[in-house]
């Protein structure tokens, strides 16, 4: 019998946040559409294909805050991230 994977419960959020790249020097605005304990879905102002594999998500523009994330999927201006 195959084990079923349960996803963490997602909470709709629609909160503004910042994605930081390159050690905090390139901050980009985003909208966190939904979030769970393991990850989130974000929407950017530009194509998400430009995101590197690892980013930092923060609810303040300060690069010292936030959580490191791995980008696990990209579709148009949206991306799915996993907290690491």
């Amino acid at each position: 019998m195959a084990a079923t994977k349960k996803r963490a419960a997602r909470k709709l959020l629609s909160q503004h946040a910042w994605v930081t790249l390159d050690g905090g020097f390139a901050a980009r605005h985003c909208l966190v559409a939904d979030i769970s304990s393991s990850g989130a879905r974000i929407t950017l102002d530009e194509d998400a294909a430009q995101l590197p594999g690892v980013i930092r998500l923060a609810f303040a523009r300060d690069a010292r805050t936030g959580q490191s994330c791995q980008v696990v999927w990209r579709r148009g201006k949206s991306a799915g991230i996993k907290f690491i």
Side-chain angles (χ1 to χ4, degrees):
M1 191 187 241
T4 58
K5 274 186 162 181
K6 286 194 173 187
R7 287 177 48 180
R10 293 212 169 255
K11 176 185 172 191
L12 292 177
L13 194 60
S14 294
Q15 185 170 343
H16 295 277
W18 294 94
V19 169
T20 53
L21 318 171
D22 305 322
F25 295 109
R28 297 179 183 172
H29 175 261
C30 72
L31 182 72
V32 179
D34 60 52
I35 195 165
S36 73
S37 60
S38 61
R41 179 170 50 101
I42 60 172
T43 303
L44 303 162
D45 294 333
E46 70 257 359
D47 190 5
Q50 306 302 317
L51 286 177
V54 176
I55 61 172
R56 191 163 192 81
L57 177 71
F59 290 102
R61 193 165 183 173
D62 186 350
R64 294 170 294 178
T65 66
Q67 173 73 43
S68 293
C69 308
Q70 178 182 0
V71 178
V72 292
W73 60 263
R74 299 167 180 86
R75 285 185 204 106
K77 292 183 176 187
S78 295
I81 57 174
K82 179 174 81 169
F83 301 131
I84 52 176

